[in-house]
Amino acid sequence: MSTAKTALIIGASRGLGLGLVKTLLADGWQVIATVRNPQNAEALQALGAVRIEKLDMDDQQAVIALSQQLKNEVFDLLFVNAGVKGPDVQTPGGATLAEVGQLFFTNAVAPINLAQRFAGQIRPETGVLAFMSSVLGSVTMPDSPELALYKASKAALNSMTNSFVTQLGEQKLTVLSLHPGWVKTDMGGENADIDVDTSTRGLIDQVNAYTGKGGHHFVNYRGETIPW
Ligand SMILES: NC(=O)c1ccc[n+]([C@@H]2O[C@H](COP(=O)([O-])OP(=O)(O)OC[C@H]3O[C@@H](n4cnc5c(N)ncnc54)[C@H](OP(=O)(O)O)[C@@H]3O)[C@@H](O)[C@H]2O)c1
């Protein structure tokens, strides 16, 4: 009987999601990973033994369909990584209702909706539910005013996560709001501080370190606590 742990990674076509899959496979995990467009998943396929499912996290019917399809799985880790940067102009007067709605829905509402659907399938006691937050979501963070809407969307994700955690009832889960560092991806850009491998190694180290601890923690890829 296999003793490998199982992870479900949401948003794994590129960037940090792809890196998380790579790190977990190297650590011997079984991985199920989602992409919006399976035609565009060559890099993920090239990693080898990963089960790929299609999911646009914003699509409620697709979330329900995936939860049906995976209903017999038990996850040691559910990592909701998918996110967007939002509009180029992030001044309150410079962005449209549709752009702001999309940003907040994808970054703050859809991750919690998905977590609610899958929470019952996370392994009791030792399972970890991780959200890809950002230090920019800390309301104490004065940096990057040009990303004001993105920052607010990650603060909203943290707030939505807090509300979600209070509704878990008897279920003992460890919930992590994680900051990956400033990482060289399409979103982070080439001037970012660290590469994907460094970030995802650190993120999975935090998942392992917090396994079984319970509670809700806001930490970065190095394990340093971030003020809410
Ligand atoms: N890079 C950084 O420095 C940094 C720092 C702090 C936090 N983060 C967070 O880390 C996460 C990953 O960022 P990244 O840098 O890897 O960005 P990225 O390279 O732009 O990748 C974003 C990923 O999210 C997926 N995605 C976006 N909207 C989705 C949706 N509605 N449903 C399903 N998948 C969706 C994308 O899929 P497609 O390929 O289909 O578009 C892609 O796989 C995000 O939540 C981001 O906010 C990044």
Side-chain angles (χ1 to χ4, degrees):
M1 201 178 87
S2 168
T3 53
K5 289 183 168 187
T6 301
L8 174 59
I9 310 297
I10 305 298
S13 58
R14 55 196 167 98
L16 285 161
L18 182 66
L20 286 169
V21 175
K22 194 173 159 197
T23 301
L24 288 166
L25 290 176
D27 286 1
W29 288 61
Q30 285 179 348
V31 182
I32 303 173
T34 74
V35 296
R36 281 198 283 199
N37 180 3
Q39 316 291 355
N40 219 353
E42 293 89 0
L44 184 58
Q45 266 153 3
L47 295 180
V50 48
R51 175 173 166 187
I52 301 174
E53 298 287 347
K54 177 179 158 72
L55 180 72
D56 182 333
M57 194 172 62
D58 296 347
D59 179 348
Q60 174 72 322
Q61 292 312 314
V63 173
I64 294 169
L66 184 67
S67 73
Q68 280 302 311
Q69 206 161 328
L70 300 180
K71 66 174 188 267
N72 295 324
E73 302 287 339
V74 176
F75 300 110
D76 298 283
L77 170 65
L78 167 56
F79 204 129
V80 189
N81 162 73
V84 290
K85 196 173 191 172
D88 291 339
V89 179
Q90 302 220 345
T91 56
T96 66
L97 175 59
E99 287 171 334
V100 176
Q102 174 73 62
L103 172 64
F104 276 73
F105 194 86
T106 301
N107 282 6
V109 178
I112 303 301
N113 175 53
L114 185 135
Q116 260 162 354
R117 286 267 159 200
F118 283 93
Q121 288 169 250
I122 300 174
R123 196 177 302 285
E125 306 292 329
T126 57
V128 174
L129 169 59
F131 294 96
M132 199 66 99
S133 184
S134 169
V135 71
L136 295 177
S138 171
V139 291
T140 65
M141 164 60 78
D143 294 359
S144 306
E146 73 285 0
L147 288 175
L149 292 172
Y150 173 81
K151 291 174 66 178
S153 75
K154 290 294 187 181
L157 171 63
N158 290 348
S159 175
M160 292 290 288
T161 307
N162 273 316
S163 301
F164 170 70
V165 167
T166 64
Q167 293 170 324
L168 282 171
E170 293 297 294
Q171 191 182 4
K172 190 174 171 252
L173 278 188
T174 301
V175 182
L176 298 178
S177 295
L178 290 168
H179 171 55
W182 183 22
V183 191
K184 295 181 206 296
T185 63
D186 292 342
M187 188 187 294
E190 58 193 27
N191 293 326
D193 290 335
I194 56 172
D195 61 21
V196 168
D197 287 352
T198 305
S199 174
T200 57
R201 178 70 267 159
L203 291 168
I204 297 305
D205 286 348
Q206 300 322 312
V207 167
N208 291 330
Y210 276 93
T211 294
K213 290 204 169 153
H216 180 200
H217 311 270
F218 189 16
V219 292
N220 68 16
Y221 72 106
R222 292 195 295 220
E224 295 154 345
T225 295
I226 301 170
W228 293 107

